[in-house]
């Protein structure tokens, strides 16, 4: 690891990463996770209105280009003030999810995990600006904060971002003074904003970046490999330069390519080199550097080989920036004949994954994510869909390193709401900025093979709203011409009407019976099962007698583990298998879900389904009377039944069904109880 003091004093190695964090980044970037103070609530009752999103919205900057918040922003109150005494607050390290700390309560809404994830809270800590930092630009970077986060520096609003899944940066420079500086981050996580457990808090990593005024823009490099063979690969690197107010200096921009070892360090000699002389560095200026790599090691499952582009910016005889961009050389293509990686047909054997980690909550934990991926790989899975939101950067880094393919998803909702306080409130103001941020952050990951612009949004139902999908697809093409756009559709008619033409790849949610017709009517459009099966079961729980009715198999708020049961809108696994086998041009499937997750406890996410547990008519009547007397009777279930693996990481019986299909060469047998 590079010591923080070395980074800030400008002494950095050409290429060295901590394993698990090899994402595109400048050299002067360090974690800022330790020693935060935390408090649930606001300083004064009136702060909830005074600091509401509607009041602050004019001063938040989705473009990310302005160097300071416009004048007139309200102050943050007592909790943002440098002189406030926060010594009585709790001390903790990030990432942090306050919701998972509990308590579980039956009166909490049944579909979001029965945990107190909503509410307002503050995080505070001090950073020191030394003499060596004078003249530098200093940025705070937040990988994810749930939600409506606002950042205050020395009592001044520095910026913020409402969507809790988006990574963003705030320029602290205009607010800083020599010596100690107070950071205060306020979150306002509204109830009724999610269909699953979202978590609460600064649940991903926070970083501090110190850089010269001239350098490379945030997420300012983009690597593509337009021509790939086993003998030679062409590598293009697009570089966006940054100039935060300096007179137009001359600069020399040099990039060297290295192989990237499994330990995250450069391996071997320089493979290729390019250099550009820039007479006058302008903010937003673009450079394109081209390289050729002989006998490239191609990235893919089973051989996740990577490279790194180390870009150095010099002004005169001084190095002002070193920026490292890990990448993979590979050719990924979706065609009407399926998905191809490096010229070979590859079936997507994928699972959908929500972002929580079971008992660990939403706070990211690299070891826990890696364990999940190891368990899924043993099953035969080779792909992950990030349902239904931008993932943690660490997940993508692990997928790069372990050889998983990724369908990177933007959101669950566009303009038409699913929840009263959901993303529909933000879409018009922030949709473009959020999707742009996702693509720019993640587009150098070789694991990412496509962008999903949405999931089951109601706009697919109405021709007058199809343009929303077209505009998002156009944005994908502008930001990343190398990857296609897709969408998870659960509407029967979308596969045959004009909506299907608003995306590059058509994604079917639970519609294997439509594959054959789609192949006939849209013979040249790629398609896949973007969400499949949704079988429900409880590990180790069996109901007798067996039944072929997919709505049966329930008792005591559990679901039988015979894997024959699913909600009305979904299918058992073998129905999807048959649909894929009959239509082999499908790119593959993403099963709902790889692991159980907090929230969405189908089939027990409706209060009245409690009555299904009473087979005796008199007991059912008494339960109904109690339900009426109380107004509602709460549901005991707090997590999903969809997972192939349970919350703790133990495989259900279904795991071995998928293993048998996805790893046909693996000798295996799985025995489970059967009534004969």
């Amino acid at each position: 690891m590079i010591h923080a003091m070395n980074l800030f004093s400008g002494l950095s190695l050409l290429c060295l990463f901590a394993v698990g964090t090899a994402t595109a980044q400048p050299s002067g970037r360090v974690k800022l996770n330790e020693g935060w103070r935390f408090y649930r609530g606001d300083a004064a009752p009136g702060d909830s209105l005074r600091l509401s999103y509607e009041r602050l919205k004019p001063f938040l900057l989705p473009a990310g280009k302005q160097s300071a918040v416009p004048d007139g922003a309200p102050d943050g109150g007592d909790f943002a003030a440098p002189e406030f005494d926060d010594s009585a607050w709790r001390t903790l390290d990030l990432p942090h999810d306050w919701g998972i700390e509990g308590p579980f309560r039956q009166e909490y809404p049944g579909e979001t995990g029965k945990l107190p994830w909503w509410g307002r809270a503050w995080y505070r800590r001090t950073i020191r600006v030394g003499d060596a930092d004078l003249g530098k630009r200093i940025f705070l970077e937040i990988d994810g904060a749930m939600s409506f986060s606002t950042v205050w520096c020395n009592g001044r609003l520095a910026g913020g971002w409402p969507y809790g899944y988006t990574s963003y940066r705030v320029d602290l420079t205009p607010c800083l003074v020599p010596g100690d500086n107070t950071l205060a981050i306020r979150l306002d996580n509204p109830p009724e904003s999610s269909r699953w457990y979202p978590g609460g808090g600064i649940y991903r990593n926070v970083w501090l970046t110190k850089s010269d005024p001239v350098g490379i823009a945030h997420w300012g490099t983009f690597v593509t490999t337009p021509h790939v063979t086993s003998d030679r690969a062409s590598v293009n690197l697009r570089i966006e330069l940054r100039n935060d107010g300096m007179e137009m200096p001359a600069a020399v921009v040099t990039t060297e390519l290295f192989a990237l070892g499994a330990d995250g360090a450069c391996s071997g000699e320089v493979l290729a080199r390019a250099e550009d002389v820039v007479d006058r560095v302008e903010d937003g200026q673009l450079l394109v550097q081209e390289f050729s790599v002989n006998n490239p090691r191609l990235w893919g499952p089973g051989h996740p080989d990577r490279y790194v582009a180390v870009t150095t910016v010099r002004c005169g005889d001084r190095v002002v920036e070193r920026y490292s961009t890990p990448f993979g050389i590979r050719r990924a293509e979706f065609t009407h004949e399926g998905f191809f990686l490096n010229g070979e047909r590859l079936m997507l054997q994928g699972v959908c994954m929500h972002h929580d980690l079971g008992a660990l909550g939403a706070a990211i934990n690299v070891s826990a994510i890696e364990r999940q991926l190891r368990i899924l790989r043993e099953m035969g899975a080779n792909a992950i869909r990030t349902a239904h939101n931008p993932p943690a950067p660490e997940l993508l880094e692990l997928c790069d390193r372990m050889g998983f393919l990724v369908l990177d998803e933007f959101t669950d909702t566009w303009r038409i709401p699913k929840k009263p306080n959901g993303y529909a409130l933000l879409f018009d103001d922030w949709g473009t900025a959020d999707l742009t941020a996702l693509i720019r952050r993640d587009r150098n990951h070789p694991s990412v093979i496509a962008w999903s612009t949405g999931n089951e949004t109601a706009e697919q139902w109405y021709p007058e709203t199809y343009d929303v999908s077209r505009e998002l697809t156009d944005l994908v093409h502008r930001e990343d011409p190398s990857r296609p756009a897709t969408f998870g559709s659960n509407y029967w008619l979308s596969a045959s009407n004009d909506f299907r033409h608003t995306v590059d790849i058509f994604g079917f949610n639970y519609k294997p019976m439509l594959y054959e017709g789609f192949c006939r009517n849209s013979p040249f459009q790629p398609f896949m099962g973007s969400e499949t099966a949704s079988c429900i079961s409880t590990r180790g729980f069996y109901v007798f007698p067996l039944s072929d009715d997919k709505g049966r198999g329930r008792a005591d708020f559990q679901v039988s583990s015979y894997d024959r049961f699913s909600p009305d809108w979904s299918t058992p696994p073998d129905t999807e298998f048959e649909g894929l086998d009959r239509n082999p041009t499908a790119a593959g499937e993403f099963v709902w879900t790889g692991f159980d997750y907090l929230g969405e406890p189908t089939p027990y996410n409706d209060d009245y389904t409690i009555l299904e547990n009473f087979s005796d008519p008199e007991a059912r009547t008494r339960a109904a009377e109690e339900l009426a007397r109380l107004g509602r009777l709460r549901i005991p279930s707090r997590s999903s039944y969809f997972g192939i693996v349970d919350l703790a990481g133990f495989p259900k019986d279904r795991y071995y069904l998928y293993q048998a299909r996805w790893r046909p060469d693996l000798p295996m047998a799985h025995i489970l109880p059967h009534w004969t």
Side-chain angles (χ1 to χ4, degrees):
M1 293 293 292
I2 304 173
H3 193 277
M5 291 302 294
N6 288 342
L7 286 170
F8 287 173
S9 62
L11 302 177
S12 60
L13 301 180
L14 274 175
C15 179
L16 181 62
F17 301 99
V19 174
T21 59
T23 56
Q25 57 186 275
S27 55
R29 185 175 188 253
V30 294
K31 281 183 179 177
L32 196 69
N33 284 347
E34 297 180 352
W36 289 81
R37 299 277 190 171
F38 172 71
Y39 180 83
R40 290 287 300 272
D42 273 324
D47 283 353
S48 60
L49 178 61
R50 190 175 62 84
L51 301 179
S52 68
Y53 171 65
E54 288 303 319
R55 293 284 183 91
L56 296 175
K57 184 168 74 169
F59 307 100
L60 300 179
L61 309 172
K65 286 293 185 182
Q66 296 89 336
S67 60
V69 172
D71 292 336
D75 67 77
D78 289 347
F79 285 177
E83 62 272 15
F84 177 76
D85 182 5
D86 59 14
S87 60
W89 289 16
R90 176 182 170 190
T91 301
L92 53 77
D93 295 338
L94 305 178
H96 172 235
D97 172 15
W98 75 61
I100 198 64
E101 297 172 357
F104 284 102
R105 292 281 174 83
Q106 287 301 320
E107 60 266 28
Y108 294 155
E111 65 179 346
T112 56
K114 295 191 175 296
L115 287 161
W117 51 266
W118 57 89
R120 304 177 184 92
W122 288 80
Y123 295 81
R124 284 171 53 100
R125 68 157 289 166
T126 298
I127 60 171
R128 186 165 184 80
V129 175
D131 292 341
D133 302 322
L134 297 179
K136 291 185 179 293
R137 308 299 297 189
I138 300 180
F139 301 96
L140 184 73
E141 299 179 10
I142 298 175
D143 285 347
M146 193 66 68
S147 57
F148 288 91
S149 56
T150 45
V151 178
W152 310 82
C153 182
N154 295 327
R156 293 176 55 189
L157 180 63
W161 206 285
Y163 190 30
Y165 296 103
T166 293
S167 300
Y168 71 98
R169 85 185 314 185
V170 170
D171 187 356
L172 301 177
T173 313
C175 307
L176 295 171
V177 297
D180 289 341
N181 292 262
T182 299
L183 294 180
I185 302 175
R186 180 180 185 267
L187 304 185
D188 187 356
N189 206 16
E192 292 296 316
S193 58
S194 178
R195 297 192 297 118
W196 55 85
Y197 175 78
I202 305 177
Y203 68 105
R204 292 178 181 167
N205 287 312
V206 172
W207 307 83
L208 195 68
T209 296
K210 300 185 179 184
S211 61
D212 277 83
V214 172
I216 296 175
H218 190 215
W219 302 323
T221 59
F222 179 27
V223 178
T224 56
T225 54
H227 303 289
V228 177
T229 68
S230 59
D231 298 326
R232 191 184 70 84
S234 61
V235 177
N236 288 1
L237 174 65
R238 194 181 77 177
I239 304 168
E240 181 183 354
L241 297 178
R242 171 179 50 81
N243 186 345
D244 296 321
M246 282 188 68
E247 293 184 6
M248 305 295 185
V252 178
V253 181
T254 306
T255 300
E256 295 177 327
L257 302 190
F258 298 86
L260 189 63
D263 60 353
C266 290
S267 175
E269 302 297 323
V270 175
L271 300 175
R273 188 176 188 274
E275 185 171 281
D276 286 282
V277 178
V278 181
D279 293 332
R280 292 162 59 87
V281 176
E282 300 181 26
D283 192 45
Q285 185 173 354
L286 296 177
L287 298 176
V288 176
Q289 296 181 333
E290 298 180 349
F291 309 86
S292 180
V293 177
N294 294 324
N295 303 312
R297 298 182 301 174
L298 304 186
W299 184 93
H303 46 87
D305 296 300
R306 287 185 294 165
Y307 296 83
V308 60
V310 181
T311 303
T312 303
V313 181
R314 290 180 174 85
C315 290
D317 59 357
R318 192 167 63 91
V319 173
V320 297
E321 177 107 84
R322 283 195 178 101
Y323 196 99
S324 298
T325 308
F327 67 97
I329 295 177
R330 55 102 174 109
R331 185 173 74 255
E333 301 171 287
F334 285 88
T335 78
H336 64 285
E337 296 180 330
F339 174 71
F340 291 80
L341 185 66
N342 301 322
E344 297 183 2
R345 178 75 163 90
L346 180 65
M347 200 69 170
L348 297 177
Q349 299 173 173
V351 297
C352 301
M353 292 287 283
H354 267 312
H355 73 296
D356 77 76
L357 294 167
L360 301 181
I364 68 111
N365 182 299
V366 173
S367 296
I369 298 172
E370 184 175 9
R371 175 176 179 257
Q372 287 186 333
L373 293 177
R374 287 201 310 268
I375 291 169
L376 293 172
R377 184 169 60 187
E378 180 66 21
M379 182 179 68
N382 61 15
I384 302 293
R385 177 188 178 208
T386 69
H388 303 291
N389 44 261
E394 289 77 9
L395 171 64
L396 296 182
E397 159 59 19
L398 285 167
C399 288
D400 288 347
R401 182 156 57 88
M402 298 175 69
F404 277 85
L405 305 163
V406 176
L407 178 57
D408 206 341
E409 193 153 275
F410 164 39
T411 183
D412 183 51
T413 308
W414 295 340
R415 288 196 179 100
I416 300 174
K418 295 180 181 179
K419 303 294 290 184
N421 294 318
Y423 189 70
L425 296 177
L426 299 173
F427 183 83
D428 283 337
D429 292 330
W430 291 85
T432 296
D434 281 321
L435 181 54
T436 300
L438 168 67
I439 295 171
R440 291 186 181 181
R441 188 196 70 174
D442 295 349
R443 60 191 175 184
N444 291 316
H445 288 280
S447 57
V448 176
I449 56 172
W451 307 104
S452 173
T453 60
N455 172 68
E456 299 182 355
T457 68
E459 284 82 355
Q460 66 182 312
W461 303 343
Y462 310 108
E464 60 270 24
T465 58
Y466 290 176
D467 281 346
V468 179
S469 181
R470 290 190 185 95
E471 291 166 2
L472 294 174
T473 296
D474 288 345
L475 192 155
V476 167
H477 294 164
R478 287 195 305 271
E479 292 294 328
D480 181 9
S482 70
R483 293 180 180 87
T486 187
F487 172 88
S489 174
N490 63 332
Y491 182 43
W492 289 80
L493 295 180
S494 293
S496 57
N497 62 29
D498 285 343
F499 184 84
R500 71 187 190 275
H501 300 309
T502 67
V503 293
D504 303 310
I505 310 162
F506 193 83
F508 284 94
N509 286 10
Y510 314 110
K511 301 293 182 290
M513 66 292 295
L514 299 184
Y515 294 170
E516 185 174 354
F518 186 85
C519 292
R520 186 169 55 250
N521 296 327
S522 303
F524 299 107
Q525 184 172 11
F527 74 98
M528 62 184 168
S530 46
E531 197 169 309
T532 64
S534 274
C535 194
I536 48 179
S537 62
T538 302
R539 180 179 61 86
F541 182 84
Y542 304 96
V543 173
F544 303 102
L546 296 178
S547 171
D548 289 330
D549 181 352
K550 69 177 184 177
R552 300 286 295 273
R554 307 174 192 172
D556 300 325
F557 297 103
Q558 308 295 342
V559 182
S560 180
S561 190
Y562 282 117
D563 301 320
R564 306 175 67 86
F565 311 108
S566 60
D568 292 340
W569 38 265
S570 61
T571 64
D574 53 340
T575 304
E576 181 67 32
F577 296 163
E578 181 181 10
L580 293 171
D581 290 344
R582 289 179 177 272
N583 301 276
T585 60
E589 68 169 314
F590 290 87
V591 182
W592 191 266
T593 56
F595 273 65
D596 276 332
Y597 55 93
L598 297 175
E600 291 191 313
T602 302
Y604 301 115
N605 58 348
D606 185 311
D607 291 334
Y608 290 92
T609 60
I610 191 170
L611 299 179
E612 297 177 6
N613 289 273
F614 295 90
S615 56
D616 179 79
E618 292 185 5
R620 189 181 182 91
T621 299
R622 289 195 300 271
E625 291 173 349
E626 180 72 356
L627 185 71
R629 185 182 71 82
L630 296 177
R632 61 183 296 189
L633 196 58
R634 306 296 173 178
I635 317 153
S637 304
R638 50 86 181 98
S639 60
S640 78
Y641 298 77
F642 294 118
I644 300 173
V645 183
D646 72 8
L647 280 184
F650 295 107
K652 302 179 185 179
D653 294 300
R654 196 175 348 140
Y655 180 95
Y656 303 98
L657 176 66
Y658 282 99
Q659 188 180 64
R661 178 175 174 85
W662 287 352
R663 298 183 64 185
D665 296 332
L666 176 71
M668 59 84 66
H670 177 67
I671 300 173
L672 64 160
H674 186 65
W675 186 267
T676 63

